[in-house]
Amino acid sequence: MKNIFGITLKDLEDFFIENKDKKFRATQIFEFLYKKRIFDLDKMTNIGNNNKELLRENFDFSFIKIKSKQEDKDVKKYLFELKDGNFIESVLMYHDYGISICVSSQVGCNMGCKFCESGRLKKVRNLEAYEIVEQILLIEKDIKERISHVVVMGIGEPFDNYENLKDFIKIINCNKGIDIGARHITISTCGLIPGIKRFMEDFNEINLAISLHAPNDTIRNKIMPINKVYNIKELINILKEYEKKTKRRITFEYIMLENINDSNECAIELAKLVKDLNCYINLIPYNETENIEFKRSKKVQILSFYDILKKNNINVTIRKEFGRKVDAACGQLRANQMGRK
Ligand code: SAH
């Protein structure tokens, strides 16, 4: 049975029409679930008993569970237990511009990036749309506040789970649903080109972030196996098309790994690589983990890298650090839960 929190408004409308009811019923249900946050059918006034019965027979209204939570002042990290006993995690961050949440899209990940905990643990399965939506609903309930920004940058490669990701985006972006503006939603990919192609057909205003992490194929091949399938040239070409079609600015994420990708030469090469794109680069101080040998770049080197990009007129920021105390890097909490540390 499908979970109700993974159903788009359009699919719910089709369901009611098929069942000889009015399309409008779907909007009513969406308003109870997402505006009033009433999840219990019995508490939905002005929905007839026949309709409630029909919904009960066809949809599951259950939730995944918050298994544990770690908090620091401006960050909360949640570990969720799924119905089949798998674990995923989300991170909530308080910014001056609002509250953002970083959600997971898969249990584990098959992309195998050498610096990442999630890759080390391999993909177990895709998340269903409802399992991504419920991360938001449960955290909002926990903090008693609404989340303003969503990034799909937790465990998993979203474009390796495209159909469910698509439904998830529709549900949270729907103005009768969770109603998070397109420009407040960001999807981050390691560069799966077929996914980028589909994404630019389906969505024009959702933000796209690319985990680049290297200025050339030699380095990228060493740390990101996906580069052997879709190399940097192909990636930049599709991003040029993306830019032409959507007119949106692309974000590049660049983890600073000591003596791997952080030299001044790398900065110069990176500036050349992206100079014709409307983009900005987010330099990310690497979150070291016990299981992986990479080291975070020295602060002076991060600043030198930053300066070179600036001098070359590249928009660049150094990511504010959240959650070092709470194992906040992608997959770390889950890795600990699974006792592999
Ligand atoms: N698969 C997608 C989204 C998940 S990874 C992608 O590759 O973009 C989310 C981001 O966290 C990526 O940029 C990833 O490279 C980064 N990341 C993974 N482990 C990290 C760590 N230990 N420290 C800092 N960033 C990390």
Side-chain angles (χ1 to χ4, degrees), residues 45-233:
T45 48
N46 78 22
I47 303 289
N49 283 339
N50 292 351
N51 282 316
K52 287 182 183 168
E53 236 5 81
L54 183 69
L55 285 164
R56 243 183 229 114
E57 279 165 15
N58 286 279
F59 299 104
D60 176 6
F61 280 70
S62 68
F63 276 86
I64 61 175
K65 285 200 192 79
I66 296 178
K67 170 86 179 168
S68 67
K69 188 165 74 170
Q70 290 184 9
E71 299 187 39
D72 203 353
K73 55 181 186 314
D74 49 8
V75 56
K76 289 189 174 79
K77 177 129 185 170
Y78 292 83
L79 183 74
F80 289 99
E81 184 169 0
L82 308 177
K83 273 182 237 155
D84 60 4
N86 276 306
F87 295 100
I88 51 154
E89 57 198 58
S90 321
V91 184
L92 174 93
M93 286 158 283
Y94 293 93
H95 306 269
D96 42 15
Y97 58 80
I99 303 178
S100 78
I101 173 182
C102 170
V103 294
S104 294
S105 59
Q106 296 179 316
V107 181
C109 181
N110 268 352
M111 299 302 119
C113 299
K114 297 282 189 277
F115 46 80
C116 179
E117 281 281 2
S118 303
R120 213 171 55 81
L121 296 176
K122 296 285 176 302
K123 175 167 116 180
V124 178
R125 67 171 174 86
N126 285 332
L127 290 189
E128 301 288 328
Y130 85 88
E131 293 171 311
I132 320 179
V133 172
E134 288 184 357
Q135 295 171 51
I136 298 177
L137 295 177
L138 288 174
I139 290 179
E140 287 193 330
K141 193 170 169 201
D142 186 57
I143 62 169
K144 301 184 183 64
E145 277 184 279
R146 290 289 157 96
I147 285 161
S148 57
H149 292 68
V150 174
V151 296
V152 184
M153 224 182 253
I155 301 171
E157 168 48 48
F159 288 162
D160 184 35
N161 182 15
Y162 191 82
E163 285 304 319
N164 295 337
L165 175 81
K166 187 169 153 182
D167 284 349
F168 163 73
I169 296 174
K170 285 186 183 165
I171 294 163
I172 64 166
N173 182 223
C174 173
N175 61 8
K176 306 213 168 74
I178 298 184
D179 198 14
I180 295 175
R183 289 171 187 232
H184 287 193
I185 303 171
T186 303
I187 312 301
S188 177
T189 177
C190 64
L192 288 188
I193 289 182
I196 298 175
K197 283 187 179 155
R198 295 185 66 185
F199 181 71
M200 63 197 239
E201 289 306 315
D202 292 335
F203 302 102
N204 269 324
E205 287 181 82
I206 308 281
N207 301 309
L208 179 65
I210 306 287
S211 292
L212 186 62
H213 308 325
N216 60 49
D217 285 329
T218 314
I219 300 176
R220 203 164 190 265
N221 282 341
K222 279 192 202 142
I223 56 177
M224 298 180 71
I226 192 64
N227 198 66
K228 293 178 189 153
V229 186
Y230 307 109
N231 66 25
I232 292 188
K233 190 159 178 248

Side-chain angles (χ1 to χ4, degrees), residues 323-339:
R324 273 176 91 181
K325 284 198 201 128
V326 297
D327 286 343
C330 187
Q332 287 183 355
L333 205 64
R334 172 169 175 260
N336 290 353
Q337 169 68 29
M338 293 172 66

Side-chain angles (χ1 to χ4, degrees), residues 197-311:
K197 283 187 179 155
R198 295 185 66 185
F199 181 71
M200 63 197 239
E201 289 306 315
D202 292 335
F203 302 102
N204 269 324
E205 287 181 82
I206 308 281
N207 301 309
L208 179 65
I210 306 287
S211 292
L212 186 62
H213 308 325
N216 60 49
D217 285 329
T218 314
I219 300 176
R220 203 164 190 265
N221 282 341
K222 279 192 202 142
I223 56 177
M224 298 180 71
I226 192 64
N227 198 66
K228 293 178 189 153
V229 186
Y230 307 109
N231 66 25
I232 292 188
K233 190 159 178 248
E234 292 170 275
L235 189 56
I236 297 294
N237 284 343
I238 190 78
L239 294 177
K240 283 186 180 153
E241 276 180 48
Y242 172 87
E243 190 186 291
K244 216 158 98 215
K245 180 159 188 298
T246 65
K247 314 273 184 294
R248 303 301 317 281
R249 186 160 84 167
I250 297 153
T251 303
F252 286 111
E253 292 150 89
Y254 196 100
I255 295 186
M256 299 294 294
L257 301 165
E258 184 170 41
N259 295 331
I260 304 281
N261 64 356
D262 68 344
S263 67
N264 292 349
E265 292 71 34
C266 282
I268 294 165
E269 208 177 347
L270 181 61
K272 279 199 193 118
L273 182 71
V274 303
K275 74 175 184 338
D276 296 330
L277 282 170
N278 175 17
C279 68
Y280 94 95
I281 298 181
N282 197 1
L283 298 178
I284 307 174
Y286 181 58
N287 221 328
E288 290 176 15
T289 96
E290 273 175 36
N291 309 302
I292 298 172
E293 76 277 22
F294 292 112
K295 291 269 165 290
R296 103 176 2 216
S297 301
K298 299 266 181 311
K299 205 163 189 182
V300 291
Q301 191 50 36
I302 298 179
L303 291 174
S304 161
F305 201 95
Y306 173 90
D307 283 342
I308 293 170
L309 292 174
K310 270 270 174 219
K311 278 194 196 106

